[in-house]
Amino acid sequence: MALVVQKYGGSSLESADRIKRVAERIVATKKAGNDVVVVCSAMGDTTDELLDLAQQVNPAPPEREMDMLLTAGERISNSLVAMAIAAQGAEAWSFTGSQAGVVTTSVHGNARIIDVTPSRVTEALEQGYVALVAGFQGVAQDTKDITTLGRGGSDTTAVALAAALNADVCEIYSDVDGVYTADPRVVPDARKLDTVTYEEMLELAASGSKILHLRSVEYARRYGVPIRVRSSYSDKPGTTVTGSIEEIPVEQALITGVAHDRSEAKITVTGVPDHTGAAARIFRVIADAEIDIDMVLQNVSSTVSGRTDITFTLSKANGAKAVKELEKVKAEIGFESVLYDDHVGKVSLVGAGMRSHPGVTATFCEALAEAGVNIEIINTSEIRISVLIRDAQLDDAVRAIHEAFELGGDEEAVVYAGSGR
Amino acid sequence: MALVVQKYGGSSLESADRIKRVAERIVATKKAGNDVVVVCSAMGDTTDELLDLAQQVNPAPPEREMDMLLTAGERISNSLVAMAIAAQGAEAWSFTGSQAGVVTTSVHGNARIIDVTPSRVTEALEQGYVALVAGFQGVAQDTKDITTLGRGGSDTTAVALAAALNADVCEIYSDVDGVYTADPRVVPDARKLDTVTYEEMLELAASGSKILHLRSVEYARRYGVPIRVRSSYSDKPGTTVTGSIEEIPVEQALITGVAHDRSEAKITVTGVPDHTGAAARIFRVIADAEIDIDMVLQNVSSTVSGRTDITFTLSKANGAKAVKELEKVKAEIGFESVLYDDHVGKVSLVGAGMRSHPGVTATFCEALAEAGVNIEIINTSEIRISVLIRDAQLDDAVRAIHEAFELGGDEEAVVYAGSGR
């Protein structure tokens, strides 16, 4: 008998019918002899509908109230799933994040989990109930206000609960049936992976893969929780995320997959005076605006002009703000201009095998060159190579790299409606 | 400066636009120098939509989960109103019933308030915030589960908060602008009352008036909270419910109003053997089924047959169940049959003046006789006369009594769309 945590995303819960299907799976898991804890996101369109209502009464709603509003969504879905479970012969109790002991910081809209003390969940399990916990929410340790956990919050809730309960596995259900060697919509012969290590999944998530959110993978790795990525539309086993690259024998280490990301933009600050502190000042201005930077490129300064260009990438969502903040300090730092380019894309190759196979970088760059793709910035980690290219060439680049490293499988990749989340 | 509690019903909150109007009134009340606490019901259709979703996944949903589901509605409306208030230049925090310290019994769907300890509400007021509290809900003292308060729950929440906070007034807003001498839709010259005593309001509510719920009026009377019934569509002062009939000088005591009720049915148990305990057994069977009885009529038993008929009224909602339970004991008690009649209606005259004016009953019955209305059962209290008649004659009866006691005013009664709640 195992303790299983299952998380169902919004598209798996988008109607009364889907809710009943999800309840069937939960009841089957319970009847197989397992203790079952379920985390549900809000039903399909609920969060968007609530956001729309909020916008209608206040274009800039206070964050505390936004959290009170949005958490109604998970309350609705979890109690409905509990009811559906009862209709199918098992017993279930639903709990809010607060009731389930999810304690967080007080940053509304992006709270971090500080601790999980799920005594009411444990009690429910001991009494033979399925316990449902509203995802994406918790209670602030100091103010006792309700908080939401930011993007990927329901995945994080599920993994954090699994860690606190010492669960045997945390199953994340959506409309994709696992982690693939590349996005199946771009690469028709992308292959589903049976397993992926934590570090590789972290790199894939950070490089644009939307299957799992970075924070939940970090949490899983820290507490050693195995994650299974599965589809709520089939019984396929999915992909298991577990283990460390340290545990993989060198000779078995592989290249795992290709990720791509269209969400970044590029900023180039031109003609930066080449004196100590100019670059630091530029990055400090960006940091003070609470904007994260991804890739950085600094050219060698021209011996003629004594100036250089500094280029970096960031999320498109922060683009306008970053440009504004830099323009403010133009005179102070003395650079020439700020250029903004949002037609860039990032493609990444991830694999533990990179560490032990020299020539991966060479093969990577050759594949891109043969596909006519120009590399603007390159950035690597121990198990990842990322390059910034023109976004129009992203699909070609992904396919070229996938081909060059022979990642394709024989079966046609299965893509469900609404695939991606 | 006063402490004002305002309650807004679902129809006052049915759209983003209505929410903004309500916020305007709240902000105006605050800016006039008052401390303001607001209780909101769920937006117009929300509760029905949630009930419908529940039915789709389980025709007989567990009550604990039903409470978790329905309370999402008040969470949504209160946070939206808080946002609307913020957009209009005041500050507001919304709280769940639990956060506001509303502690209840654990009877899901019909919990009673045990205590209200609104420390977070008081804190919010001290910091200059408008405090919003979700109506219709609380937290069970023993299980710590979320509960809903049954019919009129939001009114009860508002009055209970007003009592706990020692508020100067509790304003109940709906789409009617006060308590009238009769339902304005039935009696065109019905007059709006300026004030009504607690006892008279209790009788009106118990006799079919839907303006205020019985439980909230009882609560207000017990704790001396003045209630003002007002329309959210106008600035009219409404009707104030306060004071006791004991405080009204005898010579000023009036006849206050006429109420009518279509929600009851009549059961007649025929041929009941006239021996000790037969009637008691019949009423015990009904009581054990947790069904309330209103009016009772027992004829003198026939000296010939030694049998009698016992008639009583009850809510139509319990009709089928009552008949079923009685049929079960037919042989045991030995009566002849159970007759069920759901074409009855009740009309009541209420007024403190009844105590000191003999002849009220005579005038009442004469008015009905002249209108051709037959009285089937009569039932009185110190300040109320109620009769059971054919439901088809209810409107005529109401008008005849209203006329006979000269309750009409000069102005045409104002009726808003959706009037009645």
Side-chain angles (χ1 to χ4, degrees), chain A residues 266-322:
Chain A
K266 183 178 79 169
I267 286 179
T268 302
V269 184
T270 68
V272 180
D274 186 26
H275 61 70
T276 315
R281 186 80 188 96
I282 286 171
F283 293 127
R284 175 56 58 198
V285 163
I286 298 299
D288 284 349
E290 300 197 342
I291 293 171
D292 290 323
I293 284 178
D294 184 19
M295 310 172 88
V296 176
L297 177 69
Q298 178 171 350
N299 294 320
V300 171
S301 61
S302 158
T303 44
V304 174
S305 66
R307 290 176 175 265
T308 187
D309 293 345
I310 292 174
T311 299
F312 58 89
T313 66
L314 72 173
S315 166
K316 276 175 184 160
N318 294 326
K321 189 175 179 191

Side-chain angles (χ1 to χ4, degrees), chain A residues 15-17 19-20 43 50 53-59 61-62 64-73 75-88 92-96 99 120 137 143-146, chain B residues 15-17 19-20 43 50 53-59 61-62 64-73 75-88 92-96 99 120 137 143-146:
Chain A
S15 65
D17 236 41
I19 284 176
K20 287 193 275 192
M43 290 174 69
L50 292 174
L53 266 175
Q55 279 292 311
Q56 288 184 54
V57 302
N58 186 334
R64 179 193 184 281
E65 298 306 321
M66 186 59 90
D67 278 357
M68 282 293 269
L69 177 68
L70 295 182
T71 49
R75 192 186 201 87
I76 290 169
S77 58
N78 279 280
S79 54
L80 284 172
V81 174
M83 291 179 187
I85 289 170
Q88 297 180 29
W93 279 338
S94 72
F95 299 99
T96 59
Q99 288 173 324
R120 291 182 77 174
Q137 58 177 251
T143 62
K144 301 289 182 276
D145 284 333
I146 301 303
Chain B
S15 66
D17 236 42
I19 284 175
K20 286 193 276 193
M43 290 174 70
L50 292 174
L53 267 174
Q55 278 294 311
Q56 288 184 54
V57 302
N58 187 334
R64 179 195 186 280
E65 298 305 321
M66 186 59 92
D67 278 358
M68 282 293 268
L69 177 68
L70 295 182
T71 49
R75 192 186 201 87
I76 291 169
S77 59
N78 279 278
S79 53
L80 285 172
V81 174
M83 290 180 188
I85 290 170
Q88 296 180 29
W93 279 339
S94 70
F95 299 99
T96 60
Q99 288 174 323
R120 291 182 78 173
Q137 57 179 251
T143 62
K144 301 287 182 279
D145 285 332
I146 301 303

Side-chain angles (χ1 to χ4, degrees), chain A residues 146-162:
Chain A
I146 301 303
T147 55
T148 58
L149 304 178
R151 296 178 59 188
S154 290
D155 287 0
T156 309
T157 298
V159 175
L161 263 171

Side-chain angles (χ1 to χ4, degrees), chain B residues 321-339:
Chain B
K321 190 175 178 189
V323 170
K324 192 173 109 175
E325 293 302 316
L326 286 169
E327 293 284 5
K328 283 185 196 172
V329 296
K330 187 172 170 184
E332 176 206 326
I333 300 177
F335 59 75
E336 275 168 20
S337 68
V338 179
L339 306 178

Side-chain angles (χ1 to χ4, degrees), chain B residues 178-184 187-194 196 204 239 255-260 348-350 398 401-402 405-409 413:
Chain B
V179 182
Y180 279 74
T181 51
D183 188 335
V187 182
D189 70 332
R191 191 172 39 85
K192 182 190 78 71
L193 299 163
D194 290 334
V196 186
L204 287 168
T239 302
I255 300 301
T256 296
V258 184
H260 68 278
S348 308
L349 181 73
V350 175
V398 170
I401 295 162
H402 195 266
F405 288 91
E406 296 172 354
L407 295 172

Side-chain angles (χ1 to χ4, degrees), chain A residues 121-151:
Chain A
V121 171
T122 308
E123 256 182 67
L125 294 176
E126 279 166 9
Q127 297 194 44
Y129 283 75
V130 170
L132 291 104
V133 178
F136 186 54
Q137 58 177 251
V139 62
Q141 192 172 53
D142 42 10
T143 62
K144 301 289 182 276
D145 284 333
I146 301 303
T147 55
T148 58
L149 304 178
R151 296 178 59 188

Side-chain angles (χ1 to χ4, degrees), chain B residues 33-359:
Chain B
N34 301 296
D35 280 342
V36 187
V37 177
V38 179
V39 174
C40 292
S41 299
M43 290 174 70
D45 291 328
T46 305
T47 306
D48 287 337
E49 286 168 4
L50 292 174
L51 284 169
D52 186 61
L53 267 174
Q55 278 294 311
Q56 288 184 54
V57 302
N58 187 334
E63 292 181 326
R64 179 195 186 280
E65 298 305 321
M66 186 59 92
D67 278 358
M68 282 293 268
L69 177 68
L70 295 182
T71 49
E74 285 75 30
R75 192 186 201 87
I76 291 169
S77 59
N78 279 278
S79 53
L80 285 172
V81 174
M83 290 180 188
I85 290 170
Q88 296 180 29
E91 287 181 297
W93 279 339
S94 70
F95 299 99
T96 60
S98 171
Q99 288 174 323
V102 179
V103 179
T104 75
T105 61
S106 41
V107 180
H108 287 290
N110 202 16
R112 301 284 157 144
I113 296 177
I114 292 173
D115 196 12
V116 180
T117 47
S119 47
R120 291 182 78 173
V121 172
T122 308
E123 257 182 66
L125 295 177
E126 279 166 9
Q127 297 194 46
Y129 284 75
V130 169
L132 290 105
V133 179
F136 186 55
Q137 57 179 251
V139 63
Q141 193 175 53
D142 44 7
T143 62
K144 301 287 182 279
D145 285 332
I146 301 303
T147 54
T148 58
L149 304 177
R151 296 181 58 190
S154 291
D155 288 0
T156 309
T157 298
V159 174
L161 264 171
L165 291 165
N166 241 320
D168 295 278
V169 67
C170 180
E171 300 184 323
I172 304 287
Y173 287 91
S174 65
D175 46 15
V176 291
D177 64 1
V179 182
Y180 279 74
T181 51
D183 188 335
R185 291 168 297 182
V186 175
V187 182
D189 70 332
R191 191 172 39 85
K192 182 190 78 71
L193 299 163
D194 290 334
T195 63
V196 186
T197 60
Y198 288 120
E199 294 94 337
E200 289 170 310
M201 194 64 232
L202 278 169
E203 293 283 11
L204 287 168
S207 307
S209 168
K210 293 184 174 44
I211 300 288
L212 286 173
H213 289 265
L214 193 63
R215 213 185 328 169
S216 57
V217 183
E218 279 176 345
Y219 213 107
R221 180 176 75 135
R222 193 181 336 152
Y223 293 96
V225 178
I227 297 179
R228 279 220 289 172
V229 178
R230 303 181 67 182
S231 163
S232 60
Y233 290 84
S234 84
D235 282 324
K236 294 183 184 177
T239 302
T240 303
V241 180
T242 192
S244 165
I245 51 175
E246 304 305 329
E247 297 156 8
I248 301 177
V250 160
E251 55 279 7
Q252 278 179 37
L254 298 169
I255 300 301
T256 296
V258 184
H260 68 278
D261 190 346
R262 295 180 189 277
S263 71
E264 298 196 350
K266 183 177 79 169
I267 285 179
T268 302
V269 185
T270 69
V272 181
D274 186 26
H275 61 72
T276 316
R281 185 82 188 94
I282 286 171
F283 293 126
R284 176 56 61 197
V285 163
I286 298 297
D288 284 349
E290 300 195 341
I291 293 171
D292 292 322
I293 284 177
D294 184 18
M295 309 172 88
V296 176
L297 177 68
Q298 179 171 349
N299 293 322
V300 170
S301 63
S302 158
T303 43
V304 173
S305 68
R307 291 175 175 265
T308 184
D309 293 346
I310 292 175
T311 299
F312 58 90
T313 67
L314 74 173
S315 166
K316 276 177 186 160
N318 293 326
K321 190 175 178 189
V323 170
K324 192 173 109 175
E325 293 302 316
L326 286 169
E327 293 284 5
K328 283 185 196 172
V329 296
K330 187 172 170 184
E332 176 206 326
I333 300 177
F335 59 75
E336 275 168 20
S337 68
V338 179
L339 306 178
Y340 185 75
D341 182 352
D342 63 358
H343 290 294
V344 294
K346 188 169 84 173
V347 61
S348 308
L349 181 73
V350 175
M354 234 175 269
R355 298 175 299 162
S356 46
H357 292 91

Side-chain angles (χ1 to χ4, degrees), chain A residues 86-395:
Chain A
Q88 297 180 29
E91 287 180 298
W93 279 338
S94 72
F95 299 99
T96 59
S98 172
Q99 288 173 324
V102 179
V103 178
T104 75
T105 61
S106 39
V107 179
H108 287 291
N110 202 15
R112 303 280 157 148
I113 295 177
I114 292 174
D115 196 12
V116 178
T117 46
S119 47
R120 291 182 77 174
V121 171
T122 308
E123 256 182 67
L125 294 176
E126 279 166 9
Q127 297 194 44
Y129 283 75
V130 170
L132 291 104
V133 178
F136 186 54
Q137 58 177 251
V139 62
Q141 192 172 53
D142 42 10
T143 62
K144 301 289 182 276
D145 284 333
I146 301 303
T147 55
T148 58
L149 304 178
R151 296 178 59 188
S154 290
D155 287 0
T156 309
T157 298
V159 175
L161 263 171
L165 292 165
N166 240 321
D168 294 278
V169 68
C170 179
E171 300 184 323
I172 304 285
Y173 287 89
S174 65
D175 47 13
V176 290
D177 65 0
V179 181
Y180 280 73
T181 51
D183 188 334
R185 291 168 298 180
V186 174
V187 181
D189 70 332
R191 187 172 42 84
K192 183 190 77 70
L193 301 163
D194 290 333
T195 63
V196 187
T197 62
Y198 288 121
E199 292 93 339
E200 288 167 312
M201 195 63 232
L202 278 169
E203 293 283 13
L204 287 168
S207 307
S209 168
K210 293 182 175 46
I211 301 289
L212 285 174
H213 289 265
L214 191 66
R215 214 185 327 170
S216 57
V217 183
E218 279 176 345
Y219 213 106
R221 178 175 78 135
R222 195 182 335 154
Y223 293 97
V225 178
I227 297 179
R228 279 219 289 171
V229 178
R230 303 183 64 183
S231 163
S232 59
Y233 290 85
S234 84
D235 282 325
K236 294 185 187 179
T239 301
T240 303
V241 181
T242 190
S244 166
I245 52 175
E246 305 304 329
E247 297 155 8
I248 301 178
V250 161
E251 57 278 8
Q252 278 180 36
L254 300 169
I255 300 299
T256 297
V258 183
H260 68 277
D261 191 342
R262 294 180 190 278
S263 71
E264 297 196 350
K266 183 178 79 169
I267 286 179
T268 302
V269 184
T270 68
V272 180
D274 186 26
H275 61 70
T276 315
R281 186 80 188 96
I282 286 171
F283 293 127
R284 175 56 58 198
V285 163
I286 298 299
D288 284 349
E290 300 197 342
I291 293 171
D292 290 323
I293 284 178
D294 184 19
M295 310 172 88
V296 176
L297 177 69
Q298 178 171 350
N299 294 320
V300 171
S301 61
S302 158
T303 44
V304 174
S305 66
R307 290 176 175 265
T308 187
D309 293 345
I310 292 174
T311 299
F312 58 89
T313 66
L314 72 173
S315 166
K316 276 175 184 160
N318 294 326
K321 189 175 179 191
V323 170
K324 192 173 107 174
E325 294 302 315
L326 286 169
E327 294 285 4
K328 283 186 196 172
V329 295
K330 187 170 168 182
E332 175 206 328
I333 300 177
F335 58 76
E336 274 167 22
S337 66
V338 178
L339 306 178
Y340 184 75
D341 181 353
D342 63 358
H343 289 295
V344 294
K346 188 168 82 172
V347 60
S348 308
L349 181 73
V350 174
M354 233 174 271
R355 298 174 298 161
S356 46
H357 290 93
V360 167
T361 309
T363 307
F364 183 90
C365 294
E366 281 163 4
L368 288 176
E370 267 168 65
V373 178
N374 184 49
I375 296 171
E376 303 183 23
I377 306 178
I378 188 164
N379 175 294
T380 64
S381 80
E382 196 185 27
I383 58 169
R384 172 187 53 76
I385 306 170
S386 297
V387 290
L388 198 75
I389 62 175
R390 289 290 99 196
D391 61 0
Q393 293 184 302
L394 257 179
D395 287 1

